[in-house]
Amino acid sequence: MDAIVEQAMRKWPNVLHCYGWLGLDQRGQWWLRDLAAQAAGDFAHSKGSRLEHTQLIGFIERNYAADAQGCWFFQNGPQRVFVELENTPLVWRVQADGQVHSPTGACAQPQQCLVDENGLLYAVSAAGLGLVHTQDMWLAAELLEQGRWPAPQTVAWAGLPQQFGFVRSPQLQAPVGAE
């Protein structure tokens, strides 16, 4: 976490949390969800505006974490901005050496691979569960064929949050009156 964020948290410890305003899609892209986007439906149906500012995205990713309930958030100074997830909290980019990297800087070796009913591939590592980015499927397939990754097991998409301890929509669990 950035030092300036930690300093702001100490200076203003009681800032209200923010829900529904930020989303992460299954390609690892960040989305700003204004009131109109939120009113139009959940994140899967109304994403909002894709963030493109490189420095802002970097700031979000450096300060992205999960709470004890498995709700992922971006610590924006003193304010915790909870993230709506289209799929998983991490989206892995596959490296030629078989490791996976997330935009947050997590780097890991897959310990388990999963395939859901939609044919999406997931890698489980010490850093957690992540969806393999669609642009890296050719490399992932090679690693699976070569036996460098564990053979994938079938899993139900809907059961992933419970099985791996994350929440796709913190907004649905937000206290009444929370923003």
Side-chain angles (χ1 to χ4, degrees):
M1 190 169 294
D2 289 355
I4 194 165
V5 170
E6 291 174 347
Q7 181 182 9
M9 290 168 59
R10 284 190 300 275
K11 187 172 182 177
W12 298 290
N14 298 317
V15 175
L16 295 176
H17 299 325
C18 180
Y19 294 88
W21 287 83
L22 186 63
L24 178 68
D25 73 11
Q26 64 184 14
R27 292 183 57 93
Q29 297 173 328
W30 295 96
W31 296 81
L32 181 61
R33 303 188 69 237
D34 61 14
L35 286 175
Q38 291 181 52
D42 64 10
F43 182 56
H45 298 96
S46 177
K47 288 190 173 37
S49 302
R50 187 168 62 89
L51 296 179
E52 297 183 24
H53 191 275
T54 306
Q55 286 81 8
L56 175 58
I57 293 168
F59 181 62
I60 291 170
E61 291 172 347
R62 286 191 310 275
N63 297 287
Y64 181 58
D67 68 12
Q69 290 73 42
C71 295
W72 285 75
F73 62 89
F74 154 52
Q75 190 68 48
N76 183 24
Q79 185 174 52
R80 190 167 280 188
V81 179
F82 284 95
V83 177
E84 297 294 299
L85 303 172
E86 185 173 31
N87 199 325
T88 59
L90 300 173
V91 177
W92 296 120
R93 296 307 309 252
V94 180
Q95 308 302 303
D97 66 359
Q99 289 196 354
V100 291
H101 293 214
S102 79
T104 63
C107 177
Q109 183 66 39
Q111 300 164 345
Q112 182 181 17
C113 293
L114 307 166
V115 174
D116 71 13
E117 63 273 19
N118 299 308
L120 296 175
L121 179 65
Y122 303 86
V124 182
S125 72
L129 170 75
L131 177 66
V132 174
H133 196 287
T134 56
Q135 290 181 329
D136 296 342
M137 286 302 296
W138 63 271
L139 184 53
E142 286 180 2
L143 292 165
L144 287 165
E145 287 177 2
Q146 295 167 1
R148 294 174 55 198
W149 277 12
Q153 301 170 341
T154 303
V155 66
W157 180 84
L160 290 173
Q162 183 177 2
Q163 185 176 351
F164 291 96
F166 68 94
V167 176
R168 284 198 176 108
S169 181
Q171 185 176 26
L172 292 177
Q173 298 183 354
V176 174
E179 291 202 22

